[in-house]
Amino acid sequence: NAGVTQTPKFRILKIGQSMTLQCAQDMNHNYMYWYRQDPGMGLKLIYYSVGAGITDKGEVPNGYNVSRSTTEDFPLRLELAAPSQTSVYFCASTGQGVGYEQYFGPGTRLTVT
Amino acid sequence: GQNIDQPTEMTATEGAIVQINCTYQTSGFNGLFWYQQHAGEAPTFLSYNVLDGLEEKGRFSSFLSRSKGYSYLLLKELQMKDSASYLCAVNQAGTALIFGKGTTLSVSS
């Protein structure tokens, strides 16, 4: 199993551009998450999904959108990128929900200038 | 409201024992996790506590007191490779985790 994969690994965006961060998992997990991690600030939940067709907002959803059309894929869309969205983005998944570990992807380092 | 507090930084020497504390105030509680994160890498799971008491896993142990809103991660026989950030996370409700800011541990020889 590849586990959780994310693309791209690095990206530089100009202010106002849009992009999609890709996340896929091959573990047949129902639950998937998007986090952002700023230096010294820990992980903040952006959006999460408990299954195909179901998504919900986390702590910091503004400026982002998600979709979950399949169990495997959970892309994160940034519209009108802003410098405040410069961060490292992690996707994670878990099969059981409460009480089970989340498996993290390797992350996408995004810079908006 | 919700708040998870951990020390920002800790230092220790090889072979020593270190305890990383985490206090939390959340509106719900469905368990507490500890993750390890090496610089530039993704977090990896270390432990999970949902009942009061100590969970031991090799050189790592984690303790929980729900009445005090308190947990600690105990690392024994420290090695250089244990230099990393240690993240405390609470499952407040449902399936999403609330993370603390993390504790950066530096192990020296």
Side-chain angles (χ1 to χ4, degrees):
Chain A
N1 286 349
V4 180
T5 57
Q6 292 183 237
T7 56
K9 285 189 168 56
F10 303 93
R11 183 72 185 268
I12 299 175
L13 279 182
K14 294 189 185 305
I15 295 171
Q17 288 185 321
S18 301
M19 76 164 294
T20 299
L21 281 66
Q22 301 292 344
C23 174
Q25 52 89 12
D26 61 359
M27 297 174 282
N28 201 33
H29 285 172
N30 286 326
Y31 301 89
M32 296 187 74
Y33 310 84
W34 274 106
Y35 296 93
R36 59 176 288 172
Q37 187 174 37
D38 301 323
M41 294 302 293
L43 288 155
K44 297 287 187 184
L45 182 66
I46 305 171
Y47 271 95
Y48 66 100
S49 169
V50 300
I54 306 169
T55 62
D56 210 345
K57 296 178 180 179
E59 299 174 80
V60 290
N62 291 344
Y64 307 95
N65 277 302
V66 293
S67 59
R68 185 93 183 274
S69 56
T70 67
T71 299
E72 294 77 20
D73 300 298
F74 190 39
L76 178 71
R77 178 83 177 159
L78 279 71
E79 304 283 1
L80 299 174
S84 60
Q85 293 178 305
T86 294
S87 189
V88 180
Y89 291 84
F90 288 103
C91 179
S93 74
T94 182
Q96 306 292 338
V98 174
Y100 291 85
E101 65 176 286
Q102 293 187 10
Y103 294 84
F104 284 81
T108 294
R109 186 174 297 274
L110 176 68
T111 302
V112 182
T113 62
Chain B
Q2 55 209 24
N3 194 42
I4 299 176
D5 285 320
Q6 310 177 228
T8 303
E9 294 179 341
M10 299 183 72
T11 59
T13 54
E14 268 189 307
I17 299 172
V18 70
Q19 178 175 312
I20 302 174
N21 296 324
C22 172
T23 58
Y24 63 90
Q25 290 176 308
T26 56
S27 56
F29 183 81
N30 282 329
L32 187 144
F33 292 79
W34 285 95
Y35 282 82
Q36 181 188 59
Q37 185 178 26
H38 286 100
E41 297 183 8
T44 55
F45 171 79
L46 286 177
S47 69
Y48 170 68
N49 295 71
V50 66
L51 299 176
D52 289 353
L54 188 69
E55 295 279 345
E56 297 186 82
K57 197 184 290 187
R59 294 189 299 114
F60 292 11
S61 303
S62 57
F63 172 84
L64 175 68
S65 169
R66 288 174 298 171
S67 62
K68 295 182 179 178
Y70 169 69
S71 174
Y72 67 72
L73 180 70
L74 192 71
L75 291 75
K76 303 175 187 175
E77 301 170 13
L78 279 173
Q79 302 174 9
M80 297 293 286
K81 68 179 183 179
D82 297 328
S83 293
S85 287
Y86 292 86
L87 311 177
C88 173
V90 171
N91 187 319
Q92 180 175 289
T95 64
L97 296 179
I98 307 296
F99 281 84
K101 295 181 180 180
T103 299
T104 300
L105 174 66
S106 299
V107 180
S108 59
S109 56

